[in-house]
Amino acid sequence: MIKDTVIFALTSSVDLANEIAQQLGIPLGNCDVRHFADGEILVQLGESVRGKRVYIVQSTCNPVSSNLMELLIAIDACKRASAAFITAVIPYFGYARQDRKARPRQPITSKLVASLLERAGANRVITMDLHATQIQGFFDIPADDIACLPIIAEYFQNKNLDQIVVVSPDHGGTTRARALAERLHAPLAIIDKRRPRPNVAEAMNIIGDVEGKSVIIIDDIVDTAGTLIAGIDLLYKQGAKEVYACCTHGVLSGPAIERLKNSNIVEFVCTNTIPQAAKKAQCMEFLKKLPQGIHSMAGDAGKMLSGGQRQRISLARAILKDAPIVVLDEATAYADPENEEKMEAAIAELVKGKTLIVIAHKLPAIMNADQICVMDHGNLVATGKHQELIQSCPEYQKLWKAAQDSSEWKVSTAKEGR
């Protein structure tokens, strides 16, 4: 059967198709996709498909219409070349969110796309984590919706996190979040969200307990990341210890990358249903801006959007934004003793002409500091002297109490003129 199988990769899914072909032990089929100056597209098959089972791999992600046309043209080319069976492998099914008439006079575009695929000549469709599973019913040909949840669950199981809570970013994702929670043997929480208009979300409150917990927030699609960031902010306000985020389809359009870089998320995990190399490179640019001593503490740069522990990135951002004094909460940039000297040197170089106080592990005695800026999850929440903050700033009070309970107090100070 394998010898009668041909896999073609179109523009958006070349890397994924290569991985599939390697798993099957067969080479990718030869085809040439050309985009002409006037916007027309030509897909030229480079080998015979007569009597063969053809798989065409193409996510209909951005640019959606162009990628969709490539797929339709490729299906038509295979049909006219006498392929025995044509399967459209669409890891990310574009237009899946237009699955109903939300308002009068609106189209149901996902049904239109299903009809186009059938009319072009597809005999079967394989996709992953459809935004709405009922889209399978739009097809009159077999349509398989493969779940990515087992892969995501295995990834987090291997991290051995303590006190996990799985969070759904809205009521619609509760089934997905519950399935992950069951695999991780963790409780479930739900964010009560309102969406005043498309791509704009406002998180309202949380149903469930997240205080002091490692939170994993899961969604099927992260687009502009507005929903995700609103949820992350709310989770930290409700006392979450750390927040991880995961999704199947990392669309990451518009301001999504900047939002993720500026958030206090520990790690963002997505699959490769949509190619992420360019977006990952944008995230790496932030790490490249960090001084060497801080960059060395920035975690595993190979992980998509991962900046190591959020406290370390909070420190880096504070320095880059010229915050005069930084106080980090509990776990800190000094968590890795091997890099402590590099961090000290980098800080000393950066804070010439400023006043900087960096707290390590637990809050030390800084009662005589000229000024303290309290950073909570990367945000500047208060400034002032110790006596002022201990009376007026809850975040500082919490840190100070932690310091009193700790036997490991360390401080690095560099003051103006020193």
Side-chain angles (χ1 to χ4, degrees), residues 11-12 35 58-70:
T11 301
S12 72
H35 288 249
Q58 173 85 323
S59 279
T60 50
C61 52
N62 188 33
V64 180
S65 299
S66 176
N67 287 334
L68 177 59
M69 279 304 300
E70 280 187 17

Side-chain angles (χ1 to χ4, degrees), residues 106-356:
Q106 284 190 345
I108 304 178
T109 314
S110 53
K111 167 58 180 171
L112 172 62
V113 173
S115 299
L116 289 171
L117 291 167
E118 289 181 44
R119 188 67 184 88
N123 302 112
R124 183 187 180 200
V125 169
I126 299 175
T127 187
M128 304 193 76
D129 278 346
L130 283 169
H131 185 65
T133 55
Q134 64 265 25
I135 292 174
Q136 294 173 87
F138 292 166
F139 292 90
D140 292 324
I141 58 175
D144 298 320
D145 182 20
I146 300 174
C148 286
L149 191 70
I151 300 172
I152 294 172
E154 182 180 5
Y155 176 83
F156 282 105
Q157 284 170 345
N158 293 335
K159 294 185 77 70
N160 296 316
L161 300 175
D162 294 326
Q163 292 186 298
I164 298 173
V165 174
V166 177
V167 173
S168 172
D170 51 36
H171 294 281
T174 303
T175 301
R176 183 184 309 105
R178 182 180 291 113
L180 179 60
E182 289 175 353
R183 287 177 176 268
L184 298 178
H185 307 290
L188 175 70
I190 302 169
I191 296 176
D192 180 26
K193 181 189 71 176
R194 302 290 185 269
R195 188 183 293 277
R197 58 184 184 276
N199 284 334
V200 176
E202 181 182 354
M204 302 297 291
N205 51 62
I206 296 174
I207 304 170
D209 180 23
V210 298
E211 186 173 0
K213 306 294 179 63
S214 296
V215 173
I216 301 172
I217 184 169
I218 181 171
D219 210 344
D220 62 331
I221 299 172
V222 173
D223 190 349
T224 61
T227 299
L228 181 64
I229 299 305
I232 290 170
D233 291 344
L234 183 60
L235 288 166
Y236 278 129
K237 287 178 182 177
Q238 294 292 324
K241 180 175 69 174
E242 55 185 1
V243 179
Y244 297 79
C246 59
C247 70
T248 300
H249 309 297
V251 177
L252 304 179
S253 58
I257 297 295
E258 285 301 316
R259 284 173 172 172
L260 288 170
K261 287 194 295 186
N262 293 325
S263 73
N264 296 291
I265 191 171
V266 175
E267 188 174 347
F268 175 78
V269 180
C270 67
T271 72
N272 59 348
T273 57
I274 296 173
Q276 301 293 352
K279 293 164 187 172
K280 182 176 178 179
Q282 290 181 50
C283 297
M284 296 309 298
E285 283 301 312
F286 172 73
L287 295 181
K288 290 178 182 177
K289 292 178 182 177
L290 304 185
Q292 183 178 3
I294 296 175
H295 186 209
S296 67
M297 309 251 345
D300 181 2
K303 295 177 182 176
M304 173 68 175
L305 304 184
S306 174
Q309 295 298 319
R310 57 185 170 81
Q311 289 86 356
R312 301 177 190 176
I313 292 301
S314 296
L315 171 62
R317 286 203 189 97
I319 292 174
L320 290 175
K321 292 178 180 178
D322 293 327
I325 305 176
V326 180
V327 176
L328 289 179
D329 50 0
E330 302 189 18
T332 73
Y334 289 90
D336 184 353
E338 294 181 2
N339 287 311
E340 183 172 335
E341 291 185 5
K342 289 183 179 179
M343 178 65 81
E344 292 270 13
I347 291 171
E349 182 65 26
L350 284 165
V351 300
K352 288 179 179 177
K354 304 181 198 176
T355 301
L356 179 75

Side-chain angles (χ1 to χ4, degrees), residues 13-69:
S13 299
V14 174
D15 292 340
L16 179 57
N18 269 311
E19 291 184 29
I20 295 170
Q22 289 173 10
Q23 288 289 326
L24 295 174
I26 61 176
L28 275 181
N30 183 18
C31 74
D32 182 25
V33 181
R34 300 181 188 178
H35 288 249
F36 296 104
D38 63 351
E40 291 186 1
I41 299 169
L42 171 66
V43 178
Q44 176 69 55
L45 303 183
E47 59 185 85
S48 174
V49 295
R50 184 178 297 275
K52 295 185 178 180
R53 303 177 69 86
V54 175
Y55 294 82
I56 304 171
V57 186
Q58 173 85 323
S59 279
T60 50
C61 52
N62 188 33
V64 180
S65 299
S66 176
N67 287 334
L68 177 59
M69 279 304 300

